[in-house]
Amino acid sequence: NCARICHSPSLKGMKATIGEGASTNSYDDIYKSEFLLVVGSNTTEAHPIIANRMIEQSRDKKCEIAVIDVRKIHLGRFATYEAIVPFESNLLIANMLSFTILNEELYDKEFIAQRVEGFDEYKKSILEDEFANPDFFKTIKGYEYLSTLLPQIARKYATSKSMIFWGLGVSEHIDGSKAVMALTHLALITGN
């Protein structure tokens, strides 16, 4: 959870979006999930017990994993989706995942009506942001594949019982709090 100085951006981002900076799931929920989204976390090295649970679930075909990081990591060997992204692009990537979910109306209307405020403004801001569209990567040499891979990850996340995991690869950046807010928005718009 965010009870450390290095994760103070997580605390700030989560507090702004959901009112609390602590973990919202127990690690046992990994066993109840269909999809795990891992962003900016070299989980096998930094959190080996959690990584073992993830790998076990993936190996036993009980859930799929998407790894989004700036480098290849060991967990990627067990992932269905592995996206190597440019440095300092976590906020951009999270907004691109939201773009697909919002554009294709994969969001959880009932959850949003009951538990989310400001959805219409958020939806408008993402859909009107030219940099939130994953097609942006069609113009970035070496990253063109992200224009099709990120929407696949977004669809899977939105249509599954999913969890998000992030690490210092998200929080220790200048936009760490905003990236955490964007990841939290993913959970809110999908009821995850």
Side-chain angles (χ1 to χ4, degrees), residues 83-182:
I84 309 302
V85 300
F87 284 97
E88 300 291 344
S89 65
N90 294 317
L91 176 58
L92 177 71
I93 298 299
N95 284 340
M96 287 179 173
L97 297 174
S98 288
F99 180 92
T100 299
I101 293 166
L102 296 168
N103 191 49
E104 297 180 11
E105 297 189 9
L106 301 173
Y107 47 88
D108 186 331
K109 295 173 183 76
E110 184 178 327
F111 183 87
I112 290 167
Q114 294 175 1
R115 314 251 334 245
V116 176
E117 297 174 3
F119 173 74
D120 292 329
E121 296 86 0
Y122 170 74
K123 180 180 177 183
K124 184 176 189 281
S125 72
I126 293 293
L127 293 179
E128 291 180 355
D129 182 351
E130 65 180 300
F131 297 110
N133 188 329
D135 284 346
F136 170 74
F137 275 115
K138 289 180 178 177
T139 65
I140 308 297
K141 187 172 178 155
Y143 294 102
E144 298 91 348
Y145 77 100
L146 292 174
S147 65
T148 55
L149 181 60
L150 293 174
Q152 292 172 10
I153 293 170
R155 290 179 194 112
K156 185 67 180 179
Y157 176 80
T159 59
S160 303
K161 187 187 246 185
S162 303
M163 291 178 73
I164 302 173
F165 297 82
W166 69 84
L168 299 180
V170 170
S171 64
E172 289 190 340
H173 289 274
I174 196 162
D175 63 356
S177 292
K178 290 184 179 181
V180 168
M181 292 169 74

Side-chain angles (χ1 to χ4, degrees), residues 31-50:
Y31 297 122
K32 301 173 189 171
S33 296
E34 300 166 332
F35 187 70
L36 306 174
L37 176 59
V38 181
V39 184
S41 172
N42 191 352
T43 318
T44 53
E45 290 187 20
H47 308 283
I49 294 171
I50 302 310

